[in-house]
Amino acid sequence: MIRIRVVDSHTGGEPTRVILEGGPALGAGSLAERRERFRAEHDRIRTAVVREPRGSEATVGALLCEPTLPDCVAGVIFFDNAGYLGMCGHGSIGLVVTLAHLGRIGTGLHRIETPVGVVTAELHSDGRVTIANVPSYRLTAGVRVEVKGFGAVSGDVAWGGNWFFLIENHASSIELANVEALTDFTWRVRQALSASGITGKDGAEIDHIEVFGPSNRAPRASRNFVLCPGKAYDRSPCGTGTSAKLACLHADGKLLPGEVWHQESITGSVFEGRFTVDPTRPGHVLPEITGAAHITGEGTLILDERDPLVWGIGS
Ligand code: PYC
């Protein structure tokens, strides 16, 4: 019998489940090395924690780890129903609110180590959190891909802590009533990118597809739908997706450093995004994403090997 102590929260509708105790022992090494050990040796803990019947298609897990850097308050490895994430914006906001809920941190600045770099988080006195995300950039603009049933689709490839394909022109409006149609479209786009050999840097798979529509918070705003790697849509505006968007807005000269961008999700939740230009890496921006999370539960997951679905449905 394995007992895993968790705290659940949601950030703009997107759930985060932080593992406090009982997670896999990953030993020492960088967060990237420990993530590989998690993947290679303990993957069934991932599926047991986030897949049904304990989790849902939208649940993102966050394994709390000892950081390697002494000035970091925590290390974290994010994962979902399909695998492991480089960074997770909504999850980082959820993690900070969870640590505050547990009395482990107070308001102010905190550094968190992830497999793709250190992110700084500020917990504000009103409970909102600002994440200073990893350097983000647009790799390629106006990439055309032939999508089965939709014809040629054009989008940008950008990094915001995960790889994104960002599409401005498409047929469906960004409303909850269209989730099925948007999921079908974006899943086909993802398959077409893969079939066409269109990737992020160094052949990395583009596993997040983001489409945009108008928001009534215009002019510096849009509404998005983000397809996550496991085919679930992000209920939040997606922190890494908003970072990728900021990188594209900067590359197109459509948003200036310091200006606020309101990124609204399909559920109506909103992140505020702004950036500074990275002085050390040409074409990169340093995004800041602000949002709120709320605690939804505290508990102990029980993994009983007598349960035929102990490792999660589909595992
Ligand atoms: O907020 O960065 C994010 C995110 C990635 C996947 C789900 N949420």
Side-chain angles (χ1 to χ4, degrees), residues 1-6 17 19-25 38 41-49 54 63 299-307 309-312:
M1 189 99 86
I2 301 173
R3 291 171 184 272
I4 301 180
R5 196 154 82 84
V6 297
R17 172 165 284 170
I19 298 182
L20 302 176
E21 287 168 15
F38 195 171
E41 296 167 23
H42 304 279
D43 196 51
R44 60 189 195 167
I45 299 289
R46 171 185 68 79
T47 55
V49 168
R54 293 176 199 79
L63 177 67
T300 303
L301 305 179
I302 308 251
L303 277 55
D304 181 344
E305 299 237 27
R306 291 170 301 180
D307 173 356
L309 294 175
V310 59
W311 306 117

Side-chain angles (χ1 to χ4, degrees), residues 11 14 58 60 80 85 87-92 133 160 162 164 208 226 228-229 233-242 271:
T11 307
E14 183 77 349
V60 168
D80 66 9
L85 296 163
M87 224 305 270
C88 182
H90 94 267
S92 301
N133 194 12
N162 294 299
F164 287 83
H208 290 74
V226 180
C228 295
Y233 73 94
D234 197 332
R235 278 67 170 164
S236 86
C238 191
T240 50
T242 302
F271 284 167

Side-chain angles (χ1 to χ4, degrees), residues 200-214:
K201 199 172 161 211
D202 300 328
E205 186 183 5
I206 300 168
D207 56 5
H208 290 74
I209 313 296
E210 185 168 10
V211 297
F212 298 92

Side-chain angles (χ1 to χ4, degrees), residues 239-290:
T240 50
T242 302
S243 300
K245 172 73 175 174
L246 293 174
C248 294
L249 289 165
H250 165 64
D252 288 332
K254 291 183 175 165
L255 190 72
L256 297 175
E259 282 183 338
V260 174
W261 179 262
H262 286 103
Q263 189 59 64
E264 191 179 347
S265 73
I266 189 165
T267 65
S269 53
V270 179
F271 284 167
E272 272 178 28
R274 53 170 76 73
F275 67 87
T276 54
V277 172
D278 186 339
T280 61
R281 299 173 188 82
H284 288 55
V285 298
L286 301 172
E288 287 190 2
I289 308 295
T290 302

Side-chain angles (χ1 to χ4, degrees), residues 48-198:
V49 168
V50 294
R51 285 190 183 167
E52 293 176 3
R54 293 176 199 79
S56 75
E57 61 162 16
T59 305
V60 168
L63 177 67
L64 202 54
C65 301
E66 269 307 307
T68 63
L69 302 169
D71 60 349
C72 286
V73 67
V76 65
I77 298 171
F78 291 111
F79 52 96
D80 66 9
N81 58 346
Y84 298 83
L85 296 163
M87 224 305 270
C88 182
H90 94 267
S92 301
I93 295 172
L95 173 63
V96 168
V97 168
T98 295
L99 293 174
H101 171 74
L102 295 168
R104 296 191 187 181
I105 61 169
T107 53
L109 285 174
H110 306 283
R111 282 163 61 81
I112 299 167
E113 203 174 334
T114 80
V116 294
V118 172
V119 296
T120 304
E122 181 170 7
L123 176 60
H124 303 284
S125 53
D126 64 0
R128 297 199 312 156
V129 177
T130 296
I131 301 292
N133 194 12
V134 296
S136 302
Y137 66 103
R138 180 165 75 184
L139 182 69
T140 30
V143 177
R144 276 167 69 92
V145 61
E146 203 58 40
V147 180
K148 207 169 154 194
F150 291 91
V153 171
S154 175
D156 293 356
V157 177
W159 170 257
N162 294 299
W163 282 106
F164 287 83
F165 192 70
L166 300 93
I167 302 165
E168 296 287 344
N169 299 314
H170 56 94
S172 303
S173 68
I174 312 284
E175 288 166 37
L176 281 173
N178 288 337
V179 159
E180 251 177 68
L182 286 159
T183 301
D184 176 54
F185 169 62
T186 48
W187 188 249
R188 285 172 191 245
V189 171
R190 182 173 166 190
Q191 288 174 319
L193 291 170
S194 171
S196 313
I198 298 167

